Amino acid sequence: MLYAIIGTDVPNSSAARLSARPRHLERVQALVQQGRLVVAGPFPAIDAEDPGPNGVTGSLILAEFPDLDAARAWAAADPYTTDGVFGSVDVRPFRRVLP
């Protein structure tokens, strides 16, 4: 089943995000290689492709996991969570309808 992982950044997360990013991307890339990732990316803090110094407010990962517990465990072990980039993480089942 698909699960949406929605992480919300703590205020002033840019430095911590930059530090954790290579390890975070390595884990997301593993989902790609396993054919489990649908989409992933950040939420810009402003309405712009490149938010510059405004940074981002969080991230979304939509991926396949065996169950909700596995999705929550994956999110809990992600560097954005363990290194304090995310102040909160919401993991929800997702049912794809379109396309």
Side-chain angles (χ1 to χ4, degrees):
M1 182 164 187
L2 294 176
Y3 294 88
I5 299 170
I6 304 160
T8 302
D9 284 26
V10 298
N12 304 309
S13 63
S14 295
R17 182 177 270 271
L18 186 60
S19 174
R21 189 169 191 263
R23 291 174 289 123
H24 166 74
L25 291 179
E26 185 177 305
R27 294 184 85 239
V28 174
Q29 186 61 39
L31 294 174
V32 171
Q33 292 169 348
Q34 296 163 4
R36 297 169 44 201
L37 183 70
V38 175
V39 67
F43 297 115
I46 61 171
D47 187 13
E49 185 74 23
D50 178 2
N54 294 293
V56 300
T57 61
S59 298
L60 167 70
I61 294 172
L62 184 58
E64 185 178 337
F65 292 92
D67 55 39
L68 182 57
D69 287 341
R72 286 179 173 154
W74 189 94
D78 188 76
Y80 280 1
T81 303
T82 62
D83 290 15
V85 175
F86 292 154
S88 65
V89 179
D90 188 19
V91 182
R92 302 179 189 187
F94 180 84
R95 188 173 65 88
R96 185 178 193 160
V97 174
L98 296 170

